[in-house]
Amino acid sequence: MILERLFVYGSLKCGGEAHHLLAGCPREEDGDLSHVQLKIHKGYPMLCNGNSTVAGEVYWIANTHWPDLDAWENAPNTYKKNLRSLDDGRQVWVYEAA
């Protein structure tokens, strides 16, 4: 099984509407992502390039979880998955504006 980090900042966060999609995924120390801005798209937060910093949660995601997450995020049509570096240097996948 392959595990990769995912940075979440909206409906996938603990207490969020879609957090159940991360059931069984270990949570790591939270982190900050710079050079982004948060906007609202159809009632949901969406990241795009900018000059702000967004705090979020970090989870280890098994390859079996990605299809459900991609479906929730309507990737790659509404959101796309990009590999980014958090401020502390960790590499994470992030769903951002497509």
Side-chain angles (χ1 to χ4, degrees):
M1 179 181 323
I2 299 171
L3 295 175
E4 297 179 279
R5 288 183 182 109
L6 174 65
F7 176 82
V8 300
Y9 56 89
S11 62
L12 290 169
K13 285 177 70 173
C14 187
E17 173 182 357
H19 184 70
H20 66 279
L21 295 172
L22 299 177
C25 297
R27 184 172 173 182
E28 197 172 78
E29 181 180 339
D30 294 352
D32 295 320
L33 182 63
S34 293
H35 310 293
V36 293
Q37 76 176 36
L38 201 56
K39 64 180 185 175
I40 301 299
H41 173 76
K42 296 184 179 181
Y44 291 95
M46 178 180 274
L47 282 183
C48 53
N49 289 329
N51 57 6
S52 298
T53 299
V54 172
E57 299 170 357
V58 179
Y59 292 87
W60 284 101
I61 307 299
N63 52 335
T64 54
H65 278 79
W66 289 114
D68 288 339
L69 293 167
D70 287 347
W72 171 259
E73 299 290 1
N74 192 29
N77 299 317
T78 304
Y79 291 82
K80 61 184 175 182
K81 231 175 359 199
N82 286 323
L83 192 59
R84 294 268 202 141
S85 292
L86 295 179
D87 292 357
D88 62 15
R90 288 180 287 168
Q91 294 287 303
V92 295
W93 288 102
V94 181
Y95 285 101
E96 301 180 62

